Amino acid sequence: MMGRTMFIDPGRCIGCQACVSACRECDSHRGKSMIHLDYPDEGHSVASLPTVCMHCEDPVAPCAEVCPADAILVTADGVVQEADTTRCIGCANCVNACPFGVPKIDLQAKLQLKCNLCYDRTAYGLAPMCATVCPTGALYYGTVEELQAERPGVQVADTFVFGESEVRTGVAMVVPAERVRWPVPGGLPVVEINGKDVRR
Amino acid sequence: MTADPHAVDRRTLLPLDPSLTPPGTGGFRDAGGIPADRWHADQHGETLVPTHCCFCGVQCGMYLRVDRGGKVFGVEPRNHDINRMRLCPKGVNAYQQVNHPDRLTAPLMRRSRDEELREVSWDEALDFTVSEIRRIQEAHGNDAFGVLGGASLFTEKSYLVGKFARVAVRTRHVDYNGRLCMVSAAGANKLAFNIDRAGNPFADILLTDCLLLAGANVGECFPVLTQYVWGARDRGATLIVVDPRETAVARTADIHVALKSGTDSAFFNSVLNVVIEEGLTDEDFLAAHATGWEEVKANAAHYPPSRAAEICGIPAEQIVQVARAFARAPKAMAFHARGIEHHTQGVENCLTVINLCTATGHLGKPGAGYGTLTGQGNGQGGREHGQKADLLPGGRSILNEEHRRQICEIWGIEESELPAAGTSMMEMVWQMQRREIRGLIGICNNPFVSLPNYSVVKDGYDSTEFHAQFDFFLSETAANAHVVFPVTIWAEDEGVMANAEARVVKHNKAQEPPAGVRTDTWVMCELARRLGAGDKFAFGGSRDVFEELRRASAGTIIDYSGITYERLEETGGIVWPCPSTDHPGTPRLFEDGTTYHTDGKVHMQVVEWHPPADPYDEEHPMTLTTGRTVAHFLSGNQTRRLGALVEQTPRPWAEVHPSHGFRNGEPVRVVTRRGSEVFPALVTEAIRPDTVFIPYHWPVPTAANALTIDALDPRSKIPEYKVCACRIEHAESIDEVPAPPVAPGHVAYPETQVSRTDPLPPTAPQGRGTSERS
Ligand code: SF4
Ligand code: SF4
């Protein structure tokens, strides 16, 4: 895994879409957001989950692997760049290959667009726009040590299995911690208080 | 990088080019952040102007990106103490208002409501307004003319609204839309502590062991605060959420009390009952620092969990759990917001929370105390210096002779000239209906969407003989006016706001206003001059007003006299009271247990639960509750014009439980005693089966406030937005679901400024991996 990278912590996401709006502000894709938000349990819960480019590592990013024009380059620090506009033919192979649903096609321009980890910012040590603004820290940019110092006990996962294939990613998901908690004293169910049945 | 000398990436840290710095921002240094002078150029030669978000009471720090032509064109997060770079979607998109095509750039006028509004000169608009004020007041007395301010105004302008109404218009009728926001909390805090503000800074949330959020949908209304909430959770704090809906924060709470709207005081009385029964009170603290404890204790005995559970519609066990978690925690904090404040029992609801904090000794310590979350950017500061019907600057009472004398001295008028207390915002509308108030100036507010019971509001405004409105967009209310004054937006002027912590922060000017637009300060001073009070309104701008405000607040509890623009520019903000220029401010109250009452004690108050104003019956068996969504702000006049936010939440809906048999998106008719409207259903288990929720940011025919009741809390006069009786029905067809109307004066809806390049085409290729959803 890269040194500084993005971590996705779904337990913190409030579905506010600040990340979606901030992505539009990033200099790389002025006005277009490369993030989508999923509501995995709609109708039952308000849970939400952002998806950004996972910057797959292993064996090579599926989008880059299938690109017939060799337009998707991966930098030495593991960032899967958006398609090089001088090479991209807009064929959408990458769209179909990505297991996370990340690349988009601008139909008018016939060009692929995807998150490149705000390379114009991260190359200078700044966090990507989405992780900068995310009010909850559901998107976090830093090292795993920095993350764990801030959120004691959390673990991260960077390998995802899709049927037969396994994809290792440069961006990691945060797995909830077995946290040390101030216990809710008393526990459930409470039937009596000082000998009286409170339910009557 | 190319050979163009300006084509430098703005992340390369260039030295400050002084020619690019707008006046007043030179050498500005962010609190604990990146010095602004290291960030000053990119390919556009842009400048970053440090300022704050114009929206909610968190007041996140941000930079506005200003191009070489002096125009605001973007936002850059700012490492300010409050938000540490974080922004919610409203904050990210706020800058798009500044040069929005809907901006009003010339005064609009008509002599009667039968005519269309037409553009006129400033002179014509001002003269007509002044002659109408005179005509109405000569015929019907000074109090026949009213002034309604707004809590998005800078504090200087709020101060000026109070002075303008009383000294220039000489009416007692002045109030502001913060009346719809947190006045219940203000009333409770005054009764209990004699100070009207939160007791603890946000940062204390990170230190607490138990965080109780009552009627505070932090995820949608104060999103940036979630980093504090999650931070507390990370270090093991228990999170308790009291809310009829499973909000994003409730979803992850240790205890989510989904009580029935309008039963909060019964719940908190009962929690106190358990605390007492289980011997978890802090008797030492109570003996030393509280009055009224015996009465409160005796009253709590009437609320055993069995009784409260029935009233609140929750398991009795939860009451016990909350009591134990809150009282046994070494440090506990309670934050509340509109959920418990928007009630005919709003003040009392807040008092029950204060009683709980006091009884358990959780007050005035790092990580222990209370706070209220202000909805409007300057909901706190907007009422501190005399914009509210009963208040004079510095929170002085208009009924107190000594206070009146002090202010008259500063204003240079006789005490006999200072009008008496006025009435509240909703009461003024009733007076307009009764033609007791015949003329009105509204300053940056939109009651047509934000007040309850729309038909009453419309009738009230329609009954006025003259109505003028200040705004930068043509709001639904401004569209009703005879005169609309186009005024500056927040980024075009400087001034201070106080956030929900009572932290005073300074907003800086990032661009010149468009030609034809004036500051609210200028318009008020000019009207005052034409009304013959020019000598009392010789202000050049916000700075002058702030200097007078500092003097007017000196020696009061809300003491701003030690706060200067220079100090605010050097720090991350200063929390009042701040009585001298070497005083650091007061982020946490009552650290020695002393309150601002003359006896220094917490005055605990007995609260008896009573049902909401709108009774349930067979025809109206369910509860309608209203609230906000994260993408929109208050009446939506500002956010309903920003493409990205419209795209995120284009319209309101009715949230209903699956047990009613609706399918998602099906039309549901919501009927109350005020009327009925049809909304698409959002079917979710995240709401109580007996409750319907509608977000309120839209005007009729999709206005939640066409259905809500205009019943008021007797003390704070806040309307009971959060509960009224209703029923839901299947509407015949989807055609019955009206689209939200286009905002008046909207020129390009909703694509406006989604982007600086073309947005993605609406149909992306189908198949795995497409992502049209974003
Ligand atoms: S900004 Fe953060 S909290 Fe908001 S939707 Fe995106 S990931 Fe979730
Ligand atoms: S609306 Fe509130 S939370 Fe959102 S950016 Fe503005 S001040 Fe921050």
Side-chain angles (χ1 to χ4, degrees):
Chain A
M1 187 184 297
M2 289 176 275
R4 289 173 82 74
T5 186
M6 186 97 88
F7 296 92
I8 303 174
D9 189 345
R12 300 168 98 90
C13 181
I14 53 171
C16 71
Q17 299 199 32
C19 51
V20 175
S21 272
C23 188
R24 291 193 179 101
E25 295 301 318
C26 158
D27 284 342
S28 330
H29 304 103
R30 279 292 162 94
K32 292 169 190 167
S33 183
M34 299 296 120
I35 294 180
H36 73 240
L37 213 65
D38 277 318
Y39 301 91
D41 200 16
E42 236 180 327
H44 304 283
S45 155
V46 292
S48 53
L49 161 72
T51 301
V52 295
C53 176
M54 300 297 284
H55 298 285
C56 305
E57 280 185 351
D58 200 22
V60 76
C63 58
E65 201 179 350
V66 300
C67 175
D70 260 350
I72 303 176
L73 306 175
V74 183
T75 59
D77 48 359
V79 176
V80 182
Q81 296 288 346
E82 73 181 307
D84 178 343
T85 50
T86 64
R87 303 179 78 115
C88 176
I89 53 172
C91 70
N93 259 5
C94 52
V95 172
N96 294 313
C98 172
F100 299 99
V102 171
K104 299 177 180 185
I105 295 289
D106 179 333
L107 283 183
Q108 269 146 21
K110 292 209 169 50
L111 287 175
Q112 178 250 35
L113 292 169
K114 69 175 273 302
C115 153
N116 62 357
L117 202 72
C118 285
Y119 208 61
D120 62 319
R121 300 173 73 86
T122 48
Y124 288 94
L126 292 173
M129 265 300 216
C130 57
T132 307
V133 303
C134 171
T136 65
L139 291 170
Y140 179 91
Y141 182 77
T143 64
V144 71
E145 293 76 25
E146 285 165 357
L147 177 86
Q148 285 169 335
E150 212 180 85
R151 304 175 195 177
V154 294
Q155 299 297 317
V156 300
D158 63 354
T159 305
F160 300 83
V161 179
F162 297 90
E164 307 264 290
S165 40
E166 201 178 271
V167 178
R168 211 155 74 83
T169 56
V171 166
M173 292 294 264
V174 175
V175 182
E178 276 305 319
R179 273 171 296 161
V180 189
R181 303 193 57 74
W182 167 253
V184 179
L188 270 173
V190 177
V191 182
E192 297 186 329
I193 314 166
N194 295 347
K196 275 180 275 171
D197 186 338
V198 296
R199 292 171 304 175
R200 288 214 196 100
Chain B
M1 309 288 155
T2 71
D4 179 343
H6 301 300
V8 194
D9 189 282
R10 66 203 169 95
R11 254 61 59 181
T12 42
L13 304 177
L14 292 187
L16 173 68
D17 173 353
S19 67
L20 299 178
T21 316
T25 60
F28 206 106
R29 191 164 277 269
D30 229 357
I34 303 151
D37 57 2
R38 305 295 298 270
W39 283 70
H40 268 272
D42 80 341
Q43 61 271 36
H44 311 289
E46 85 191 56
T47 310
L48 296 181
V49 177
T51 189
H52 292 263
C53 176
C54 55
F55 293 125
C56 84
V58 180
Q59 286 294 289
C60 297
M62 59 165 65
Y63 291 108
L64 288 174
R65 298 174 68 180
V66 181
D67 69 17
R68 251 183 196 267
K71 287 246 178 279
V72 169
F73 76 98
V75 66
E76 181 69 41
R78 175 178 168 203
N79 192 13
H80 188 275
D81 286 356
I82 296 173
N83 59 313
R84 304 160 198 193
M85 310 284 244
R86 314 302 197 186
L87 292 172
C88 83
K90 293 187 287 290
V92 173
N93 290 293
Y95 77 89
Q96 293 171 17
Q97 293 185 72
V98 182
N99 294 303
H100 196 286
D102 287 3
R103 281 292 298 277
L104 298 172
T105 51
L108 304 176
M109 201 182 114
R110 60 180 158 201
R111 287 188 183 264
S112 89
R113 287 203 176 85
D114 309 330
E115 298 168 21
E116 293 287 307
L117 283 167
R118 60 189 166 84
E119 290 193 0
V120 296
S121 70
W122 273 95
D123 268 328
E124 192 175 349
L126 291 161
D127 284 341
F128 181 54
T129 304
V130 167
S131 70
E132 284 294 281
I133 296 174
R134 289 228 171 91
R135 180 182 65 76
I136 289 171
Q137 291 189 324
E138 272 160 27
H140 307 283
N142 283 358
D143 293 339
F145 205 91
V147 179
L148 276 175
S152 316
L153 294 168
F154 293 149
T155 308
E156 294 85 345
K157 296 177 181 180
S158 315
Y159 169 88
L160 211 54
V161 171
K163 183 174 176 184
F164 170 73
R166 289 162 181 143
V167 177
V169 184
R170 308 176 68 157
T171 176
R172 70 192 185 99
H173 287 307
V174 55
D175 205 44
Y176 80 131
N177 65 8
R179 181 68 71 180
L180 319 177
C181 183
M182 54 177 288
V183 282
S184 288
N189 294 342
K190 283 279 279 181
L191 279 170
F193 308 115
N194 198 28
I195 185 167
D196 164 13
R197 53 157 275 204
N200 296 59
F202 296 151
D204 272 6
I205 298 174
L206 293 168
L207 307 174
T208 193
D209 301 302
C210 177
L211 179 65
L212 173 84
L213 298 172
N217 184 357
V218 174
E220 307 233 29
C221 308
F222 323 98
V224 168
L225 275 194
T226 48
Q227 62 176 318
Y228 292 93
V229 177
W230 292 170
R233 211 177 51 167
D234 286 339
R235 51 175 297 288
T238 304
L239 178 60
I240 304 169
V241 175
V242 181
D243 200 308
R245 298 163 70 213
E246 186 203 70
T247 60
V249 181
R251 177 174 74 87
T252 57
D254 296 280
I255 312 171
H256 170 207
V257 184
L259 48 56
K260 197 171 162 65
S261 270
T263 64
D264 308 88
S265 66
F267 173 76
F268 284 108
N269 274 336
S270 186
V271 171
L272 186 60
N273 173 295
V274 179
V275 170
I276 296 165
E277 287 278 308
E278 303 209 339
L280 299 172
T281 51
D282 185 339
E283 293 295 334
D284 293 343
F285 183 86
L286 285 163
H289 301 297
T291 65
W293 171 229
E294 286 311 318
E295 293 81 356
V296 167
K297 191 173 172 176
N299 181 60
H302 305 144
Y303 294 86
S306 51
R307 176 176 174 222
E310 202 165 295
I311 296 173
C312 306
I314 52 165
E317 293 87 0
Q318 277 197 329
I319 299 173
V320 182
Q321 268 195 321
V322 171
R324 290 178 179 171
F326 193 83
R328 287 186 188 170
K331 290 173 264 112
M333 288 188 88
F335 275 85
H336 48 78
R338 307 305 82 73
I340 73 164
E341 295 162 13
H342 275 163
H343 290 281
T344 46
Q345 207 177 6
V347 175
E348 293 178 315
N349 287 341
C350 299
L351 285 168
T352 55
V353 177
I354 293 172
N355 286 347
L356 178 63
C357 291
T358 312
T360 50
H362 290 313
L363 267 185
K365 293 172 212 147
Y370 75 98
T372 177
L373 300 170
T374 327
Q376 300 196 65
N378 205 21
Q380 175 71 43
R383 68 173 176 278
E384 290 168 355
H385 299 288
Q387 194 183 187
K388 208 170 148 192
D390 53 344
L391 288 187
L392 289 171
R396 292 178 176 90
S397 165
I398 201 161
L399 305 168
N400 179 311
E401 246 174 64
E402 173 65 12
H403 291 176
R404 291 170 63 88
R405 202 185 46 70
Q406 289 166 347
I407 287 303
C408 288
E409 211 164 277
I410 290 166
W411 285 353
I413 58 171
E414 293 300 319
E415 207 236 280
S416 56
E417 292 176 88
L418 185 66
T423 52
S424 73
M425 187 159 178
M426 191 69 220
E427 291 170 310
M428 280 172 70
V429 173
W430 295 337
Q431 285 172 295
M432 279 147 60
Q433 267 191 314
R434 297 195 299 266
R435 301 176 70 81
E436 288 164 22
I437 293 179
R438 290 167 179 255
L440 183 84
I441 295 183
I443 302 173
C444 297
N445 52 39
N446 190 11
F448 273 45
V449 180
S450 60
L451 275 176
N453 202 350
Y454 170 75
S455 62
V456 167
V457 178
K458 171 97 169 69
D459 187 42
Y461 274 79
D462 280 347
S463 306
T464 56
E465 293 165 21
F466 175 78
H467 169 205
Q469 196 74 22
F470 291 32
D471 217 321
F472 42 81
F473 293 133
L474 193 69
S475 69
E476 286 73 16
T477 308
N480 169 279
H482 294 90
V483 174
V484 184
F485 292 113
V487 288
T488 43
I489 203 162
W490 100 108
E492 292 162 356
D493 200 359
E494 61 177 350
V496 305
M497 292 213 196
N499 80 345
E501 305 164 289
R503 184 202 302 239
V504 181
V505 294
K506 181 162 179 279
H507 289 240
N508 293 304
K509 180 171 171 174
Q511 80 166 41
E512 285 301 324
V517 168
R518 306 278 193 274
T519 65
D520 317 70
T521 309
W522 185 89
V523 186
M524 279 187 273
C525 292
E526 188 56 28
L527 283 171
R529 193 176 68 77
R530 289 165 193 247
L531 286 164
D535 54 324
K536 317 263 184 325
F537 290 84
F539 298 111
S542 298
R543 255 168 218 271
D544 296 350
V545 183
F546 192 68
E547 288 311 310
E548 185 175 299
L549 181 161
R550 284 177 65 207
R551 274 191 289 124
S553 73
T556 65
I557 292 169
I558 309 177
D559 198 332
Y560 272 49
S561 58
I563 303 177
T564 63
Y565 275 13
E566 291 70 30
R567 287 190 73 192
L568 292 176
E569 282 165 4
E570 279 159 19
T571 62
I574 297 172
V575 188
W576 63 261
C578 178
S580 64
T581 46
D582 54 3
H583 190 285
T586 318
R588 189 179 302 112
L589 298 177
F590 328 132
E591 293 203 73
D592 55 359
T594 313
T595 72
Y596 288 78
H597 281 297
T598 41
D599 61 4
K601 305 230 167 150
V602 184
H603 292 191
M604 298 179 86
Q605 311 279 331
V606 171
V607 172
E608 196 68 75
W609 174 76
H610 60 73
D614 207 24
Y616 300 101
D617 60 17
E618 263 173 34
E619 270 181 56
H620 306 95
M622 290 180 68
T623 301
L624 168 65
T625 190
T626 63
R628 308 177 188 194
T629 87
V630 68
H632 290 292
F633 186 63
L634 307 185
S635 80
N637 185 37
Q638 301 179 64
T639 51
R640 279 186 280 116
R641 297 167 197 271
L642 304 184
L645 299 177
V646 172
E647 202 174 88
Q648 183 173 338
T649 311
R651 55 167 310 129
W653 62 87
E655 212 162 301
V656 292
H657 192 268
S659 58
H660 299 289
F662 287 91
R663 285 194 317 270
N664 234 358
E666 254 187 321
V668 42
R669 182 185 304 283
V670 182
V671 187
T672 71
R673 297 192 175 92
R674 268 73 50 204
S676 82
E677 281 177 337
V678 182
F679 300 87
L682 178 82
V683 180
T684 175
E685 285 165 16
I687 190 161
R688 288 176 61 93
D690 58 6
T691 303
V692 191
F693 169 84
I694 306 172
Y696 80 92
H697 312 283
W698 290 265
V700 283
T702 57
N705 280 331
L707 307 176
T708 50
I709 184 171
D710 51 339
L712 307 181
D713 179 290
R715 280 190 273 211
S716 68
K717 306 290 166 80
I718 206 169
E720 185 151 72
Y721 293 105
K722 286 294 185 277
V723 50
C724 64
C726 78
R727 70 169 181 273
I728 55 174
E729 297 168 348
H730 285 268
E732 259 74 85
S733 79
I734 201 78
D735 302 339
E736 285 188 62
V737 182
V742 170
H746 198 357
V747 295
Y749 188 87
E751 288 83 7
T752 316
Q753 295 196 357
V754 170
S755 59
R756 289 168 290 264
T757 57
D758 292 330
L760 277 180
T763 44
Q766 293 302 305
R768 191 165 60 102
T770 56
S771 179
E772 310 93 312
R773 281 164 296 181
S774 63

